[in-house]
Amino acid sequence: MLRMDDSIHINFQLLEAHELPEDERSLLRKALEISESAYVPYSKFQVGCALQMADGEIIRGNNQENAAFPSGLCAERNALFYAGAHNKIPGLRKMAIRANSLEKVIDQPVTPCGACRQVMLEYERIVGQDIVVLMQGKEGKVLKMKGIAKCLLPFGFDIAF
Ligand code: THU
């Protein structure tokens, strides 16, 4: 419910990887592994996304580009749409997103684009609980957030607003 004057407080943690529990470190490693086979002849920017499901399954995706530029797709949506296509969204619990450039080492977390956030938001509503999102470059600190609506996309589009 919106009030006339209000504000939103966004919680996040910027952590060293070793401060995370083992399942999250493992998810981050899998996201980096899959980023290495991204198809990025145009941007040279590789992104990998690994989804941790409640039953232990890990679903991976990376960015795929195309000479007809809008035809490519981000790593996050490739992973999420695969999960959606296989009716697995209710089991989604955590997401790890890793990015690196073929031209220079990315040592800071990269956050998902607006279109991916909107997809994450809608799937979080289906899940019915906050999704944990871990973001990291090829090296460096990990940005950790809990809740797409709370942290990554407050005021996201909702057809049933
Ligand atoms: N990209 C992703 O895969 N995820 C994001 O959240 C942002 C951007 C990709 C799209 C494109 O292939 C490359 O990174 C450069 O924008």
Side-chain angles (χ1 to χ4, degrees), residues 71-144:
S71 304
L73 198 63
C74 294
E76 297 89 327
R77 274 177 289 162
N78 278 329
L80 289 166
F81 288 157
Y82 177 92
H86 293 83
N87 294 314
K88 290 172 187 272
I89 294 302
L92 176 61
R93 295 292 178 271
K94 297 183 181 181
M95 298 181 63
I97 303 164
R98 299 287 296 267
N100 195 35
S101 161
L102 299 176
E103 287 158 348
K104 64 168 186 153
V105 172
I106 303 291
D107 61 2
Q108 295 187 40
V110 170
T111 58
C113 79
C116 287
R117 290 180 198 209
Q118 192 68 49
V119 171
M120 291 157 73
L121 178 73
E122 188 155 334
Y123 284 169
E124 181 176 73
R125 289 192 188 119
I126 292 171
V127 173
Q129 64 186 68
D130 291 346
I131 303 297
V132 171
V133 186
L134 304 155
M135 296 151 276
Q136 190 184 21
K138 183 176 182 180
E139 51 191 54
K141 291 194 174 177
V142 179
L143 178 61
K144 178 172 177 176

